[in-house]
Amino acid sequence: QLVESGGGLVQAGGSLRLSCAVSGHTFSTLAMGWFRQAPAKEREFVASISWSGGATFYAGSVKGRFTISRDNAKNTVFLQMSSLKPEDTAVYYCAAARDLWEQERYYDYWGQGTLVTVSS
């Protein structure tokens, strides 16, 4: 089970930190990813992190503004979002995979999503 939290309403230029708590899986062996889906758009890759945290990947649209991290002792992955823009408004999903991917088809487990709204 993956449960996201931390979404909400924030003004442009502000920051939010999303969390995803994982249970029922061997978290420390899983790569984790964040995806988002804006209204009337397809879900897109945001960021991913290897099981050890040693490798991370970001979509070009968030690179330099978002940071993905994980705490294997707490079975939690985070997405620190800064310099938020209205176009970052979306439902954000965390997902787990056996390896480090950008493509969502390789992710086996998904959370229910948390809504982030960035006002201008």
Side-chain angles (χ1 to χ4, degrees), residues 6-10 16 18 81 84 88-92 114-118:
L9 175 63
V10 63
L16 275 178
L18 305 184
M81 305 185 294
L84 283 162
D88 294 317
T89 294
V91 176
Y92 283 72
T114 186
L115 177 62
V116 172
T117 303
V118 184

Side-chain angles (χ1 to χ4, degrees), residues 35-103:
F35 294 78
R36 67 185 181 185
Q37 187 168 21
K41 292 189 176 181
E42 293 187 352
R43 190 158 57 188
E44 64 176 3
F45 170 78
V46 174
S48 59
I49 188 167
S50 63
W51 66 270
S52 67
T56 56
F57 292 98
Y58 296 92
S61 59
V62 306
K63 199 167 187 179
R65 300 188 298 122
F66 291 10
T67 302
I68 188 171
S69 62
R70 65 190 295 160
D71 185 338
N72 285 351
K74 296 183 178 180
N75 287 4
T76 303
V77 63
F78 305 98
L79 186 68
Q80 177 68 48
M81 305 185 294
S82 303
S83 302
L84 283 162
K85 306 174 182 180
E87 51 264 43
D88 294 317
T89 294
V91 176
Y92 283 72
Y93 300 89
C94 70
R98 292 180 176 83
D99 209 339
L100 194 58
W101 300 102
E102 293 185 18
Q103 297 85 356

